[in-house]
Amino acid sequence: MTIQFGILVEGPRLLRWQLHCLQRLLALTDVRAAALVIQGSGHRAQPGESAHAGGAQGSADEYVALPAEMAALPSAIPPGLDFILSFAPERSEDELLQSARWGVWRHEFGDWTHSRGGPAGFWEVYGGHPESAVLLGRETRDPSSIVVLRAGFVRTLAQSPARNRAQLLACAPHFAAQVCMDLRNGVTDCLTSAPLRSTVPARRAPTLMHRALCAIRILGRMAGEGYRALFSHTQWNVGIVEQPITAFLSPERRAPVRWMVSPQGSQFRADPFGVVRDGHLTILLEDFSYITNRGTISAMEPATGATVPVRIGPQPAVHLSYPYLIEVQDRLYCIPEAHEAREVVLYEVTRFPDRWARVAAFPIDTVIVDATLFQHENRWWIAGSEPGTKGASSELHLWFAPALEGPWEAHPANPVKIDVRSARPAGTPFHHNGLLYRPAQDCSKTYGGRVAINQVTVLSPTAFREVVISTVEPYDSGAYREGIHTLSCAGDVTLIDGKRTLFVPEEFRRNARHFLRQALRGVGL
């Protein structure tokens, strides 16, 4: 099946992110542009709509001329057109909405619940909203309603509208190509979903007063973040819940947590993964020292809380965390996160629990954190989150192979998901009643705020879908009630972590030196 689409523009130029969107579309097999329609310049945009395509008052260097092959496209809409991708500032007229099989698609900024309209990313910074969003929607006759085809949610960069805008525009080019990949595979559910109707008015462009007030608010946030960097530091600890991980599908029925002995003030322990051998539980975890500012892997005996260092990871040593454990045919493997070494490596135990040997490096062509290996429907999968312009907690990437030995391939829709609320892996995927569930971090309000459990509804070499069906809040008993970001199974128990804040002198001194260097650099010393 060949998918034909039209392009709706205001004039003979595009913003750079819009060009990237078209390039990703046209890179797909059997997807081609069939028409270029220039929207009439005599119509006035509705308030707040003028920024939808660019998302901001774009500077001239963000614009690029239409490539010659696109400029040469016919201006008449051919019969049998599948969709129109609109980069025009105005919403489409009814005649245009009906001229393509799957309607007119356009990018919208804001989640349409708290805000909508442009400039992209500004109003979330202005209002202090924790998440910023960009949607690809199918237009309806109602200007307050859209059918959401794809959505990306990132944590608001509250100190910079420009950087916040940039991360949103980095999300947008993926969406149209992802929808087309689904359509080629016969997956059309997003096109027929119920429209999202906004009850908030479209935003107008900010006035000088809005921008001045936003700058004042940013200064206040910077002062608050500076204070927290100096005096309020994170300490994680590991806990054991005497329930299988499936119990967290109904978190209101979860059992109490038993926290391990609190780490020293200059230390924290997080990312627990466990294995039961001869009825005895052993936990591997991230053992972080504020003195060295680096994590290592340790093995803990839960009965005593005693730990031993684990020899694992690359040389020279880098920061290690998230020691993901998996047993395959009675062989125990670990994939520690070592993204500073730009590798994802499988290790096998040689002397349990503290000696591990490198077995294989996965041919993953990008840097990822929290690599999570699992098996589903006769395939092996690796899930991970990529550090980048959208942050390490926003994207989900997948790789797959018919066997653990490979050959491994990147999922063609990568990143298959952009959502700071439920993308980054947070522990062990598990099956229950024939369904696959995947714990993920919700870092929208704070890093490691809570865990979302996704039910994976589609997982194949060409498509991916999941939906959040449960959220796991931090335990409100004990000291570690400010966050949770790991949920891993170890036999009939579940391992978690929790965080609290305290004052760490070593971190105070490190950050104070950093601020002093910045200040001296600012005055030219």
Side-chain angles (χ1 to χ4, degrees):
M1 177 183 74
T2 298
I3 296 176
Q4 298 187 86
F5 72 97
I7 307 167
L8 181 63
V9 295
E10 186 183 24
R13 63 178 187 172
L14 295 170
L15 286 163
R16 194 172 300 278
W17 73 267
Q18 297 167 344
L19 178 61
H20 292 165
C21 179
L22 291 174
Q23 289 170 335
R24 286 183 65 93
L25 266 176
L26 295 173
L28 297 176
T29 304
D30 297 331
V31 175
R32 72 180 189 90
L36 176 69
V37 181
I38 297 180
Q39 193 175 64
S41 59
H43 302 288
R44 295 188 62 185
Q46 296 300 311
E49 290 186 342
S50 61
H52 112 269
Q57 312 303 316
S59 58
D61 62 353
E62 293 177 323
Y63 285 98
V64 292
L66 276 169
E69 62 274 18
M70 294 183 193
L73 290 170
S75 59
I77 297 176
L81 199 67
D82 291 303
F83 70 93
I84 296 171
L85 184 60
S86 174
F87 295 124
E90 301 177 29
R91 299 186 68 84
S92 306
E93 297 177 355
D94 287 353
E95 182 180 356
L96 197 62
L97 295 179
Q98 300 171 16
S99 62
R101 177 185 178 189
W102 294 316
V104 177
W105 303 355
R106 68 192 288 115
H107 296 84
E108 300 282 357
F109 293 92
D111 61 6
W112 279 48
T113 300
H114 301 89
S115 67
R116 65 184 176 107
F122 175 84
W123 294 108
E124 291 91 344
V125 175
Y126 178 84
H129 192 64
E131 305 134 23
S132 298
V134 54
L135 314 177
L136 176 66
R138 177 179 179 175
E139 288 188 35
T140 69
R141 291 181 176 179
D142 179 359
S144 296
S145 296
I146 55 169
V147 176
V148 178
L149 307 179
R150 280 291 189 278
F153 295 85
V154 295
R155 189 174 179 187
T156 299
L157 298 177
Q159 294 186 9
S160 172
R163 288 177 56 218
N164 199 44
R165 172 180 182 268
Q167 67 170 349
L168 287 172
L169 298 187
C171 297
H174 302 286
F175 295 158
Q178 288 177 328
V179 176
C180 283
M181 281 188 274
D182 281 348
L183 296 178
R184 288 190 310 177
N185 294 305
V187 181
T188 61
D189 56 327
C190 64
L191 291 164
T192 57
S193 60
L196 171 64
R197 192 174 195 284
S198 179
T199 58
V200 297
R203 290 283 195 174
R204 297 176 181 271
T207 64
L208 182 61
M209 181 63 71
H210 286 128
R211 295 185 181 278
L213 184 55
C214 185
I216 293 172
R217 292 176 177 177
I218 288 173
L219 289 174
R221 291 173 195 146
M222 292 175 66
E225 290 189 14
Y227 176 86
R228 288 188 290 275
L230 290 172
F231 300 106
S232 183
H233 309 121
T234 298
Q235 184 184 64
W236 292 88
N237 194 14
V238 170
I240 300 176
V241 181
E242 301 288 341
Q243 276 181 317
I245 196 170
T246 55
F248 286 81
L249 294 172
S250 302
E252 69 276 1
R253 296 200 298 268
R254 64 184 180 179
V257 59
R258 174 167 62 92
W259 296 109
M260 299 294 96
V261 175
S262 295
Q264 298 176 0
S266 60
Q267 177 187 27
F268 68 66
R269 292 169 178 162
D271 298 345
F273 292 89
V275 61
V276 178
R277 289 195 160 188
D278 300 323
H280 182 74
L281 172 65
T282 302
I283 300 173
L284 264 63
L285 50 83
E286 175 194 356
D287 206 338
F288 182 87
S289 169
Y290 277 108
I291 297 174
T292 62
N293 200 33
R294 175 176 289 177
T296 57
I297 305 302
S298 292
M300 172 184 282
E301 295 300 320
T304 63
T307 62
V308 295
V310 172
R311 183 179 297 175
I312 195 171
Q315 292 297 326
V318 298
H319 170 78
L320 299 177
S321 62
Y322 201 80
Y324 184 84
L325 292 175
I326 187 169
E327 288 189 276
V328 183
Q329 298 177 346
D330 298 324
R331 300 175 72 175
L332 181 63
Y333 298 101
C334 180
I335 307 177
E337 185 212 301
H339 75 275
E340 290 180 359
R342 306 182 68 83
E343 64 180 21
V344 178
V345 173
L346 187 70
Y347 293 83
E348 184 176 3
V349 67
T350 58
R351 189 183 76 183
F352 185 78
D354 62 337
R355 294 291 186 270
W356 298 74
R358 182 184 177 112
V359 174
F362 293 105
I364 290 175
D365 57 356
T366 188
V367 178
I368 61 171
V369 295
D370 297 349
T372 300
L373 176 70
F374 62 98
Q375 196 172 17
H376 180 66
E377 294 182 348
N378 300 318
R379 286 189 182 89
W380 284 94
W381 295 86
I382 293 176
S385 190
E386 180 188 22
T389 56
K390 296 175 285 300
S393 302
S394 296
E395 292 188 353
L396 177 65
H397 290 246
L398 295 175
W399 290 262
F400 61 91
L404 190 59
E405 297 78 16
W408 287 89
E409 296 181 52
H411 200 286
N414 278 343
V416 296
K417 183 177 187 179
I418 302 174
D419 195 334
V420 71
R421 305 167 303 176
S422 60
R424 182 173 178 169
T428 315
F430 60 95
H431 290 86
H432 182 61
N433 293 335
L435 300 174
L436 174 63
Y437 296 90
R438 190 185 71 87
Q441 295 189 40
D442 182 347
C443 298
S444 57
K445 295 179 175 60
T446 180
Y447 173 70
R450 64 179 183 176
V451 170
I453 300 181
N454 298 286
Q455 182 185 106
V456 180
T457 57
V458 179
L459 180 59
S460 76
T462 57
F464 174 81
R465 287 282 193 285
E466 67 180 12
V467 59
V468 176
I469 56 109
S470 177
T471 54
V472 182
E473 302 289 343
Y475 274 80
D476 57 9
S477 61
Y480 301 94
R481 59 181 69 184
E482 297 179 31
I484 175 174
H485 72 356
T486 307
L487 198 70
S488 67
C489 62
D492 293 329
V493 303
T494 303
L495 305 178
I496 69 166
D497 50 16
K499 71 173 178 178
R500 64 178 177 180
T501 54
L502 71 171
F503 176 73
V504 180
E506 292 83 2
E507 190 68 357
F508 169 83
R509 288 191 287 269
R510 179 179 295 107
N511 288 328
R513 288 194 295 268
H514 171 72
F515 292 149
L516 180 60
R517 285 194 296 269
Q518 284 189 318
L520 293 176
R521 191 178 300 119
V523 297
L525 297 178

